[in-house]
Amino acid sequence: MSIGSRLRSRRETRKRATRQLILDAGCAAFAEIGYDATTIRDIVRRTDLASGTFYNYFDTKEEVLRELVGDEIARLTERMQEARRRASNLHNFVLSAYREAFRAVVARPELFKTMLRNESVVRSLFAETGFGNSLSALREDMRSAVDRGILPDMNVDWLASIFFGTAYEMSRNLLDNDGGPAEAEAAAEFTARLFLGGIQAFSDNQARSFKLRLRPPSRTPSETADE
């Protein structure tokens, strides 16, 4: 490699490191004081950079949040899609996706705490892109699973909403309780089992017995006479 190539490589490495430094500082600021209250100065203060360096990489704090959250949602969506599409049965289809989600949450708690603390801003920024794409991918995979015979023929829109919402709230619980890898695995097992039990209740061979179990117990003659 020529001297010029080595110098360019070092410059690119420094640029990537500086960009990541700003992103990490932004994540810490958003998590600690909230997106709305955070200023660019608050972000820069968490680094050893000159104040003007920020603008060599980003124009606004919104750009920082977009890159932080957008990239993570995109990567997680891709991993969850791969897991669902590799699944050969319903158990793996559900469990593997929840595992990917909860492992990501405990691996980067500060980022996900940032997302939850600034939920209204994040949802408004990513309603049609990050979250929208993730939910669309889930619906698509569920329809494919129905076609493959893995998933019963059900209302995919409703099912995807429940799947997505459950993952979101369980992630919040893991973060609130400082959950680690073991808790992430337990949460995936618990959520998958609950979700699969709900699907099973709607399958053809279980629907009748499920309805019977929901009926109130028969009252004895003495109970009737007491009324």
Side-chain angles (χ1 to χ4, degrees):
M1 181 184 291
S2 66
I3 294 176
S5 296
R6 285 199 296 272
L7 289 175
R8 284 192 296 272
S9 178
R10 289 174 185 171
R11 282 197 296 269
E12 288 303 314
T13 299
R14 284 197 299 270
K15 285 182 179 179
R16 287 193 296 270
T18 301
R19 188 179 191 87
Q20 189 60 52
L21 189 64
I22 294 171
L23 288 169
D24 291 343
C27 184
F30 298 148
E32 181 182 342
I33 60 180
Y35 175 82
D36 290 333
T38 296
T39 66
I40 290 173
R41 181 173 293 182
D42 291 322
I43 296 174
V44 174
R45 281 174 181 163
R46 285 168 167 77
T47 72
D48 57 358
L49 302 173
S51 57
T53 304
F54 177 94
Y55 296 100
N56 293 332
Y57 297 87
F58 302 97
D59 291 327
T60 64
K61 66 178 183 179
E62 181 181 310
E63 288 185 6
V64 174
L65 184 64
R66 281 187 178 277
E67 185 163 331
L68 277 169
V69 177
D71 286 355
E72 181 62 27
I73 293 175
R75 286 192 295 266
L76 179 55
T77 297
E78 184 177 348
R79 291 198 301 272
M80 292 176 73
Q81 272 195 296
E82 289 176 358
R84 289 191 297 260
R85 291 174 181 180
R86 286 196 307 266
S88 59
N89 57 63
L90 182 55
H91 179 267
N92 289 338
F93 181 91
V94 174
L95 179 59
S96 61
Y98 277 132
R99 274 181 174 159
E100 289 293 343
F102 300 150
R103 285 172 178 174
V105 168
V106 300
R108 301 192 68 186
E110 189 168 55
L111 174 57
F112 283 90
K113 285 179 180 177
T114 294
M115 293 169 63
L116 291 176
R117 170 158 190 174
N118 303 280
E119 185 173 355
S120 60
V121 176
V122 170
R123 283 188 177 274
S124 67
L125 291 178
F126 297 97
E128 296 182 0
T129 54
F131 289 131
N133 290 342
S134 185
L135 190 54
S136 295
L138 177 57
R139 292 193 192 103
E140 179 184 337
D141 289 344
M142 284 183 167
R143 291 190 183 101
S144 175
V146 171
D147 292 339
R148 289 189 287 153
I150 292 177
L151 188 66
D153 190 3
M154 304 174 68
N155 188 317
V156 168
D157 289 338
W158 291 358
L159 199 62
S161 294
I162 293 170
F163 190 103
F164 194 88
T166 303
Y168 196 90
E169 290 305 320
M170 284 296 287
S171 297
R172 187 193 303 276
N173 186 279
L174 284 169
L175 292 170
D176 287 345
N177 292 284
D178 296 321
E183 287 77 14
E185 293 300 313
E189 292 281 354
F190 176 88
T191 310
R193 185 174 180 181
L194 192 65
F195 192 83
L196 289 166
I199 292 176
Q200 184 68 20
F202 283 89
S203 64
D204 291 340
N205 62 342
Q206 292 291 324
R208 185 173 180 277
S209 62
F210 180 72
K211 290 177 182 177
L212 289 173
R213 288 196 298 273
L214 287 182
R215 290 177 182 172
S218 300
R219 292 182 298 175
T220 64
S222 60
E223 288 175 329
T224 305
D226 290 338
E227 292 183 353

